[in-house]
């Protein structure tokens, strides 16, 4: 997975200098590298002793997923602090204030889901990134064209070498759920669609790396 990320970054840098920035941007959009993750130094979480009712004893920095859905150039936006790392000169892409509130709540809920089903340690990371569709007002409302929003719900789970058994050395699970919500002109109903992509990378004991993937798309009216 590290080789894939390095190769894509190197090729994008070459395209940016030899061709133009648009060519590098198209490469990122067309490629499907494994999800990465980073730590947000501005966001912390308290660790408790004795379960959820225990007393907070230490704090640790919150992790977030880095992908094309939160990238601006070579920087990525954290859903916890809404800050780009490394810092960028401009504000970068930002969801509208109203949608940002929804994004904050979605990350809290999705992180709880991640902790319950994928493990509460540092071997799993989940992030939600939302953006306004073209036609939405600056405040997040619906413009004349209907507006609406879209988002990416991302989960990364790793099985590390210290957790290995006789059949597998390590593995990585990547799931990407992209959702689009389009309100009706009268604003009373909405159509929503979802595309799910799952990638499983396994380093087996007796065989080299294998990658399996699956994608599913659905669109519904509600």
């Amino acid at each position: 997975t590290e080789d894939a990320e390095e190769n894509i970054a190197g090729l994008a840098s070459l395209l940016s200098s030899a061709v133009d920035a648009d060519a590098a941007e198209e490469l990122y959009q067309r490629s499907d590298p494994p999800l990465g993750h980073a730590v947000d130094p501005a966001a912390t979480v308290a660790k408790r002793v004795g379960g959820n009712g225990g007393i907070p004893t230490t704090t640790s920095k919150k992790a977030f997923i880095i992908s094309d859905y939160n990238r601006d150039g070579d920087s990525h936006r954290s859903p916890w602090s809404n800050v780009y790392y490394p810092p960028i000169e401009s504000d970068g892409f930002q969801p509208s204030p109203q949608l940002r509130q929804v994004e904050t709540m979605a990350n809290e809920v999705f992180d709880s889901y991640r902790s319950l089903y994928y493990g509460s340690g540092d071997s799993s990371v989940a992030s939600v990134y939302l953006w306004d569709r073209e036609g939405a007002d600056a405040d997040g409302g619906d413009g004349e064209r209907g507006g609406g929003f879209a988002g990416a719900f991302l989960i990364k789970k790793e099985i590390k070498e210290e957790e290995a058994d006789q059949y597998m050395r390590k593995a990585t699970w990547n799931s990407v759920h992209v959702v689009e919500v389009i309100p009706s002109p009268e604003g009373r109903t909405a159509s929503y669609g979802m595309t799910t992509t799952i990638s499983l990378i396994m380093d087996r004991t007796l065989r080299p790396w294998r990658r399996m993937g699956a994608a599913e798309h659905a669109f519904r009216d509600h």
Side-chain angles (χ1 to χ4, degrees):
T1 60
E2 293 180 358
D3 290 341
E5 295 173 355
E6 292 177 359
N7 291 340
I8 292 173
L11 184 55
S13 178
L14 178 62
L15 287 172
S16 182
S17 59
V19 185
D20 55 37
D22 291 338
E25 185 72 20
E26 184 176 357
L27 172 65
Y28 277 118
Q29 293 178 356
R30 291 180 177 271
S31 60
D32 186 24
L35 298 174
H37 68 278
V39 174
D40 186 346
T44 59
V45 58
K47 291 186 176 181
R48 299 176 181 271
V49 176
N52 293 333
I55 300 175
T57 56
T58 60
T59 58
S60 61
K61 306 299 183 183
K62 284 191 173 184
F64 64 97
I65 288 180
I66 57 176
S67 71
D68 195 50
Y69 298 103
N70 63 323
R71 182 179 61 82
D72 191 327
D74 295 327
S75 299
H76 293 83
R77 182 175 66 92
S78 166
W80 302 115
S81 62
N82 207 28
V83 173
Y84 277 90
Y85 299 102
I88 57 179
E89 295 181 358
S90 64
D91 292 335
F93 166 79
Q94 300 283 345
S96 61
Q98 181 179 346
L99 193 61
R100 171 59 186 159
Q101 293 181 4
V102 177
E103 183 184 72
T104 300
M105 291 186 293
N107 273 280
E108 295 290 347
V109 173
F110 208 51
D111 192 57
S112 296
Y113 167 81
R114 184 270 315 171
S115 178
L116 289 172
Y117 289 94
Y118 292 85
S120 59
D122 59 1
S123 63
S124 63
V125 185
S127 294
V128 178
Y129 301 105
L130 303 181
W131 59 92
D132 300 273
R133 293 183 68 254
E134 185 177 359
D137 295 337
D139 293 333
D142 298 334
E144 295 180 357
R145 298 175 56 187
F149 68 93
F153 295 70
L154 315 172
I155 294 180
K156 177 181 180 181
K157 166 70 176 179
E158 291 182 319
I159 297 178
K160 301 179 180 180
E161 292 193 29
E162 55 266 28
E163 303 171 317
D165 55 25
Q166 58 180 325
Y167 302 107
M168 187 185 308
R169 281 194 291 266
K170 55 185 178 179
T172 303
W173 168 281
N174 296 287
S175 59
V176 178
H177 311 279
V178 180
V179 178
E180 184 179 38
V181 179
I182 307 172
S184 63
E186 69 276 7
R188 298 179 62 183
T189 61
S191 298
Y192 61 91
M194 183 177 71
T195 300
T196 294
T197 303
I198 296 174
S199 175
L200 176 61
I201 305 172
M202 298 184 296
D203 186 357
R204 301 177 62 184
T205 304
L206 301 178
R207 297 182 181 180
W209 281 91
R210 287 191 170 188
R211 178 168 180 166
M212 299 184 294
E216 181 179 355
H217 176 76
F219 201 88
R220 299 287 186 271
D221 292 326
H222 181 70

